[in-house]
Amino acid sequence: MKKFKNKFIFAPIKLGFCKDGKVNERHLAFYKQRSEFLGAIIPEPLYISKGLREIPTQLGIDDDDKISGLKKITALLHKTNTQAIAHLNHPGRMANPKIPGNYFVSATDKACENGGAIPEKLTEAGMEKIVDLFVKAAIRAEKADFDVIELQFGHGYLLAQFLSPKVNDRNDEFGGSFENRTKFPLQVLTAVKNAVELPIIARISGDEMMEDGIKLPEMIEFSKLLKTNGIAAIHVSAGTVCSTPPWYFQHMFVPKGKTWEFASKIKEVVETPVIAVGQINEHKDMDDLLQEKQLDYLAIGRALVADPDFVGKYLGKVTGEFAPCLACAEGCLGGVKSGKGLQCLVNPEVGKETEELQPAVTSKKIAVIGGGLAGMEAALILKKRGHQVDLFEKENLGGQFIYAPLTPYKRSMEKLIPYFKKELARNNINIQKKEIKNYNEISSYETVVLATGSQPAVPRIEGLKDYFWSEILLPENLPTDKNVLIIGGGLIGVDIATALIPKNNKVTIVKRTTDFGEDMEMLAKKLSLAIMKKNNTHFSDHTHIKKIDGKTVFAEKKSEPITFEDIDLIVVSTGMKSYDPLQKKLTGKIPYFIIGDAKEIGNAQDAINSAYETAKQI
């Protein structure tokens, strides 16, 4: 394989920036911002047939008309001596069933158990057509001046559908034994290798993390076959997009380090370069993998989304704290799924790389009122643009986000507030621990930014006196062995439930509608609800609480009376309402801007984005 300038590779992450499969300025700006300090970049997975797209906004390499655009990416990367790797994949039965014109083939004629289209079981003639698709895509990649090709053998896509004993139910020469199941994937590799001069990387799942799926011992043997068949490096991930998406996405609900373990095991027995991947989002992870585990390359994905200079800061070529990836998938998965394109909870500039932050025309003295996520982001952007900024916060910095890391599976979120605090200090932003109650206290400022957040929206319920909100998550408040009723089944209610369960509490959660966790990120919602169901949480939908009398709660479910007995504690999580005590007091006296929840109720990403968009205009 061609020698990279360093050991750091940008992993393939879907951007979702186009509708015609062709490269545009957003792609170029995104990769340019991340190219300087990397040895190589793998742009987003390239579809090899228009009928095999995973998202409607994916880049393609299915036709020669894509070559000129892809050349723009490779030329851009080569300016910084960064290698370009073309990731080629056939999704098989995991092509998106919602995209008109998509077709579905596989080693099997069974759909993914978690949903999807029923595929056609491939014949040998069909396999030959697929080999041809890969070969033609590889030739286009070479014409587009890519330096390396990566073939996807993992993650539950087509070649993995042949490899996996759980999926491959064939009784011909391509099914059954390990040797048979590897035959077609190796045919693809051989054909591509013979068609181009470029080195080839294999991306594999070291383990599919499911019963009867691909397991590490077989993947070690397969890695040996890949080496024998001329592979240049092995990129070791985990999971399958069908059955174990949290592992596929390396979500915060799964422990990091498992994929590194798989990579190390393969490295021990296969004499070929090995690439580690999966939640490499702290500089200490990089030290561990390069120095202790001595892996050859690190593929870093979402950490470079959250902070384009993540590697530059590790190498000491860029100053400042790195913005932490929380492994939350809020923006990077949610944005792409929604059709808006890649976004990031932490980094509001993602997807907007074509827009440069402009210095302020006139430096102003600005007061930011409120030190939650929105207030801190606004203060930083205003200061970077040249304004003089004072940040007022009567309590602790972080606002309601201080509760986010207190749930068992969201510990990774605890990195965000310390990052903001360090950046505020590094940028010499004056923080005053003070509550602003009237105009006179800030009359010396030229502009005010109101980031006063929100408060719980508590319903009027007869007898509702003693209750908790998110503060129940604080260690000193978290109960043990109690019968807890949660009123409200959105994000906050579900998060609280998952924190109560490990403390042996009996949880009942009620909601006026049916969709528990309706405002949650998709993976977090699915996993949280599964944990709750596994631990016998009582879900009561279409339920209206009418009265509380001691330990008895009277309600109506679908207009029928019901009661909840022996309730020890009540949690109210029925939504939030904007809190803005200063707007009326400032109107007509000083220019002001309202951001975050104070303007409109949203999630953490909404708050940071609101602050960024407002602060860059002041």
Side-chain angles (χ1 to χ4, degrees):
M1 189 162 69
K2 296 182 180 181
K3 185 175 178 61
F4 299 159
K5 69 183 180 188
N6 62 37
K7 295 176 178 289
F8 306 109
I9 301 170
F10 186 36
I13 287 180
K14 297 180 186 73
L15 305 189
F17 287 170
C18 65
K19 293 183 179 179
D20 58 2
K22 296 180 180 179
V23 173
N24 58 40
E25 291 303 314
R26 291 181 73 194
H27 297 102
L28 297 175
F30 178 88
Y31 291 120
K32 180 181 181 180
Q33 198 177 84
R34 289 159 176 82
S35 64
E36 184 176 357
F37 304 110
L38 299 176
I41 283 180
I42 311 174
E44 72 170 43
L46 306 171
Y47 65 78
I48 61 175
S49 167
K50 193 173 182 180
L52 296 173
R53 287 174 291 168
E54 294 181 74
I55 56 174
T57 50
Q58 187 175 354
L59 281 176
I61 196 168
D62 61 316
D63 191 276
D64 287 353
D65 66 356
K66 308 296 193 306
I67 293 175
S68 61
L70 293 170
K71 269 190 170 183
K72 293 179 181 178
I73 291 181
T74 57
L76 172 76
L77 301 185
H78 291 158
K79 287 180 180 178
T80 56
N81 191 26
T82 302
Q83 304 290 304
I85 303 173
H87 179 95
L88 308 182
N89 177 37
H90 190 306
R93 66 177 185 170
M94 299 315 298
N96 191 332
K98 296 180 181 179
I99 299 177
N102 265 4
Y103 60 93
F104 314 92
V105 295
S106 182
T108 181
D109 57 6
K110 295 181 177 62
C112 166
E113 64 272 15
N114 287 337
I118 297 174
E120 176 186 344
K121 182 179 282 190
L122 280 163
T123 63
E124 288 194 49
M127 290 185 225
E128 289 176 6
K129 291 179 181 178
I130 287 166
V131 171
D132 187 56
L133 283 176
F134 272 106
V135 166
K136 287 179 177 176
I139 291 171
R140 290 186 193 105
E142 192 168 48
K143 289 180 179 178
D145 298 329
F146 279 92
D147 304 284
V148 182
I149 287 171
E150 178 171 83
L151 297 178
Q152 175 64 278
F153 291 91
H155 284 166
Y157 292 120
L158 179 65
L159 300 185
Q161 290 160 26
F162 275 85
L163 290 170
S164 177
K166 181 176 178 63
V167 179
N168 188 336
D169 57 3
R170 305 175 74 93
N171 53 19
D172 60 6
E173 63 177 302
F174 298 98
S177 68
F178 170 74
E179 181 182 6
N180 285 358
R181 286 183 280 114
T182 62
K183 189 171 291 185
F184 177 59
L186 291 176
Q187 283 181 2
V188 172
L189 170 59
T190 300
V192 171
K193 187 172 181 295
N194 291 336
V196 296
E197 298 294 327
L198 302 180
I200 300 171
I201 292 171
R203 197 175 208 208
I204 67 171
S205 290
D207 194 303
E208 290 190 316
M209 307 306 290
M210 63 178 180
E211 190 175 354
D212 302 326
I214 292 171
K215 296 297 178 186
L216 181 62
E218 277 199 344
M219 278 294 96
I220 290 175
E221 294 306 310
F222 183 60
S223 297
K224 292 177 182 177
L225 289 175
L226 291 171
K227 168 65 175 175
T228 301
N229 283 272
I231 211 75
I234 300 173
H235 186 173
V236 184
S237 186
T240 147
V241 68
C242 166
S243 304
T244 52
W247 286 98
Y248 166 80
F249 288 109
Q250 284 295 295
H251 192 265
M252 62 183 170
F253 274 54
V254 302
K256 76 175 179 179
K258 198 67 177 176
T259 51
W260 312 345
E261 177 186 323
F262 298 148
S264 294
K265 293 292 184 183
I266 290 171
K267 174 70 177 174
E268 287 174 7
V269 295
V270 183
E271 293 183 2
T272 193
V274 173
I275 305 167
V277 72
Q279 292 193 59
I280 303 173
N281 52 28
E282 296 180 84
H283 288 166
K284 64 181 180 181
D285 300 335
M286 300 155 83
D287 289 335
D288 177 38
L289 291 168
L290 292 175
Q291 297 170 20
E292 294 187 29
K293 294 185 172 58
Q294 295 191 329
L295 289 162
D296 301 283
Y297 297 97
L298 306 186
I300 301 167
R302 287 173 294 169
L304 281 161
V305 176
D307 190 334
D309 291 322
F310 178 75
V311 171
K313 290 171 181 176
Y314 176 77
L315 296 172
K317 296 181 179 181
V318 179
T319 59
E321 294 291 323
F322 67 84
C325 170
L326 309 181
C328 62
E330 291 280 355
C332 51
L333 175 57
V336 172
K337 289 281 186 182
S338 70
K340 297 176 182 178
L342 187 74
Q343 299 173 349
C344 180
L345 185 156
V346 174
N347 182 359
E349 295 183 348
V350 172
K352 307 169 188 172
E353 285 83 5
T354 57
E355 308 167 19
E356 291 187 15
L357 196 65
Q358 299 296 327
V361 176
T362 304
S363 178
K364 296 181 179 179
K365 186 179 180 184
I366 300 176
V368 178
I369 314 299
L373 297 185
M376 292 190 290
E377 174 71 13
L380 286 169
I381 298 302
L382 291 168
K383 186 64 181 287
K384 288 176 182 177
R385 293 187 59 232
H387 292 297
Q388 304 170 57
V389 184
D390 289 336
L391 176 62
F392 294 86
E393 170 53 54
K394 65 178 180 179
E395 296 176 352
N396 296 318
L397 292 173
Q400 293 163 12
F401 199 77
I402 63 172
Y403 301 113
L406 300 180
T407 55
Y409 302 96
K410 294 187 175 182
R411 303 296 187 202
S412 64
M413 289 190 165
E414 67 186 2
K415 296 180 284 188
L416 186 55
I417 294 175
Y419 159 73
F420 268 116
K421 288 180 178 178
K422 289 176 182 177
E423 281 296 280
L424 290 169
R426 189 174 72 87
N427 285 276
N428 297 313
I429 293 174
N430 180 33
I431 301 168
Q432 298 192 35
K433 196 168 185 178
K434 178 181 179 182
E435 180 179 9
I436 302 300
K437 296 182 178 180
N438 55 61
Y439 165 71
N440 293 334
E441 295 175 281
I442 49 173
S443 59
S444 63
Y445 293 88
E446 297 172 80
T447 301
V448 176
V449 176
L450 298 175
T452 45
S454 58
Q455 294 180 331
V458 181
R460 293 183 178 180
I461 299 172
E462 183 181 346
L464 178 63
K465 296 177 181 177
D466 298 321
Y467 59 89
F468 284 95
W469 178 65
S470 292
E471 75 276 5
I472 197 172
L473 295 169
L474 295 171
E476 62 269 25
N477 292 338
L478 199 61
T480 302
D481 297 319
K482 299 293 184 182
N483 191 1
V484 183
L485 173 68
I486 302 174
I487 304 173
L491 182 152
I492 295 174
V494 169
D495 272 358
I496 290 171
T498 61
L500 290 169
I501 286 169
K503 292 289 188 176
N504 201 38
N505 294 291
K506 181 181 177 182
V507 178
T508 298
I509 186 166
V510 304
K511 192 174 185 356
R512 292 190 173 192
T513 56
T514 59
D515 189 6
F516 288 89
E518 63 183 323
D519 45 357
M520 297 181 73
E521 181 273 318
M522 179 186 68
L523 285 178
K525 173 183 176 179
K526 186 173 182 179
L527 293 167
S528 296
L529 294 181
I531 292 165
M532 293 165 68
K533 290 172 183 176
K534 182 180 179 181
N535 288 276
N536 302 312
T537 298
H538 177 206
F539 294 85
S540 185
D541 57 15
H542 291 297
T543 301
H544 295 245
I545 304 298
K546 295 296 184 180
K547 179 182 176 181
I548 298 170
D549 185 2
K551 288 193 169 190
T552 303
V553 177
F554 299 88
E556 284 186 359
K557 181 172 182 176
K558 297 180 180 178
S559 301
E560 295 293 327
I562 60 170
T563 59
F564 301 99
E565 305 284 355
D566 299 319
I567 300 298
D568 298 309
L569 295 171
I570 291 176
V571 176
V572 176
S573 59
T574 48
M576 308 298 294
K577 60 182 180 181
S578 294
Y579 177 65
D580 179 16
L582 290 172
Q583 181 181 2
K584 290 182 179 179
K585 297 178 182 179
L586 302 184
T587 299
K589 297 178 180 178
I590 189 172
Y592 62 83
F593 298 84
I594 309 172
I595 62 172
D597 274 5
K599 181 177 182 181
E600 183 178 2
I601 299 299
N603 57 26
Q605 181 175 316
D606 295 329
I608 291 174
N609 190 64
S610 168
Y612 174 80
E613 289 297 329
T614 299
K616 75 177 186 180
Q617 301 297 332
I618 297 175

